[in-house]
Amino acid sequence: VQLQASGGGLVQPGGSLRLSCTASGFALDDYAIGWFRQASGKEREGISCISIGDGSTFFADSAKGRFTMSGDNAKNTVYLQIDSLKPEDTAVYYCAATSGVISLYWEEYDYWGQGTQVTVSS
């Protein structure tokens, strides 16, 4: 089971990014996928999660309105669209998979990708 996160980069405030999380070794619709981020010196924060099987999503209050999750079963990939990026969105973003229910608690996730850096700066 492997997860590959990608799509990060340097973006100006107000810009957008689409992060991708591609799974190998398992089918995404058998798992819930979560996105987390960790800024330097801060704790890991749950942003959003999706159950591909039934399409349900859940977002942290800090992510509502600017973050969107979607999945592509054919590509075994989950996406996190981030709009109106702010400097405080700067962090390493991770995707993770759990065989349990969707959750924003990182402790409940079994498999993790390597993370992709998002830097929001002018």
Side-chain angles (χ1 to χ4, degrees):
V1 174
Q2 287 189 330
L3 293 169
Q4 179 77 33
S6 61
L10 174 62
V11 185
Q12 291 188 342
S16 298
L17 275 178
R18 188 177 76 161
L19 307 183
S20 300
C21 177
T22 300
S24 58
F26 68 99
L28 280 180
D29 54 8
D30 291 335
Y31 287 77
I33 304 297
W35 280 100
F36 301 81
R37 67 183 180 185
Q38 189 164 19
S40 180
K42 295 188 177 181
E43 293 187 354
R44 191 166 298 187
E45 174 190 14
I47 302 171
S48 63
C49 46
I50 186 170
S51 172
I52 301 295
D54 62 17
S56 58
T57 56
F58 188 76
F59 292 86
D61 288 343
S62 61
K64 291 177 182 177
R66 296 191 298 119
F67 292 70
T68 307
M69 279 192 81
S70 61
D72 185 333
N73 276 344
K75 295 183 179 180
N76 222 29
T77 298
V78 169
Y79 302 101
L80 180 69
Q81 176 75 30
I82 314 174
D83 298 317
S84 303
L85 278 156
K86 304 175 182 180
E88 51 263 44
D89 293 320
T90 296
V92 178
Y93 284 70
Y94 299 90
C95 62
T98 177
S99 56
V101 298
I102 58 173
S103 169
L104 292 180
Y105 293 103
W106 64 266
E107 298 91 339
E108 297 182 7
Y109 284 76
D110 306 304
Y111 307 104
W112 289 82
Q114 84 289 359
T116 184
Q117 175 72 46
V118 172
T119 302
V120 185
S121 175
S122 55

